[in-house]
Amino acid sequence: MKSIYLIKKYLRRKEKEEGNRCLRFVIAIKYSLTTESVKCKYQLRKKKMSGEDHEINTDESEEEEEKMDDGEEVPLVIDNDETDIDLTHCRIRKIEHFDSLTSVETLCLRNNLIKKIENLHMLTTLRELELYDNQITKIENLDALVNLEILDISFNRITKIENLDSLLNLRKLFLINNKITKIENLGHLENLEMLELGSNRIRVIENLDGLKNLTNLFLGKNKISKIQNLEALENLELLSLQSNRITKVEGLQNCVKLEHLYLSHNGIGEIEGLENNGKLQTLDMTSNKIKRVNNIEHLDDLEEFWFNDNEIDSWECLEVLKNFKKLETVYLEHNPIAEDPMYRKKIKLLVPWIKQIDATMAQGN
């Protein structure tokens, strides 16, 4: 109780110091009486009020604090004109009482106990919605959010991508660490630029043909065995397929704008299939089964070369690194060649302009 008292005392002092600021809320939520929940109740978004000063009624504040101690439902009031609302880690169980928010653009409900997406239909001005780390099982009730540009429902219990038909302005979609088994119902999202589906149960890359403007695709830590169906993604700049079951580099011929390719922790035995990817800046093939570095002579823009934890045992095949005048970083540790006592010195002789070798800077080593 002492820690709760100190928090309240501090908040009362801060309220008085603010003077011309208004700390208000518009939402009612039940909280259990813990130090953390008391902190949560006062994660208030401070908003300057233009034109006139607003005094804070400290008597009302004290009355509300007494209600908190009794475990009763306390009205937490948000200014109706607030545009940015953050209710992270507030033990919220249900989305409700947002009806009067007429100007909100960002709503963060991260790390709560929410089980259902609901009661958001009036928030038509919303541009960013974050529901990261809750207990949501279904994507639903988002039809009215036609201005939404960023949606994050990562770390939930979703099994299917669905009910996104009205979100035509969506630019970024995050569905990390759910239970999704199939890529579907996304073809109409023509404005989508970033799609993050890492840590799910996806086996096949499919149904991406309509995503003409997609620049970043994250599919790491799934069960994908083949790179395919990327022909329509001509604007793709970043592709992450780390920690899958891929054994061959293929299917990238139309991704001519690709700059960053992440294929670590797979079963790839040979570098191939990069003939049309001359703009690559980052090539990550860490923890595969590669013995020879070849078929990359044309990658003149390469800056990051990550090939540690492979089976490279010949310095001769690394002569190609001399071609890459923009190369800044190489990772080659945990290969047979790294056992050479002159390992770092030989890399510096190959690429005198290198800035980093493995995890340490190259200068002076």
Side-chain angles (χ1 to χ4, degrees), residues 183-201:
I183 303 173
E184 58 185 334
N185 300 319
L186 294 173
H188 63 289
L189 301 178
E190 295 182 358
N191 292 311
L192 199 66
E193 298 171 2
M194 177 181 290
L195 177 59
E196 175 49 288
L197 291 169
S199 298
N200 277 285
R201 303 174 182 180

Side-chain angles (χ1 to χ4, degrees), residues 289-301:
K289 300 178 180 180
I290 297 169
K291 294 184 177 181
R292 294 288 180 271
V293 178
N294 49 20
N295 300 322
I296 63 170
E297 296 82 0
H298 60 294
L299 303 182
D300 297 330
D301 292 331

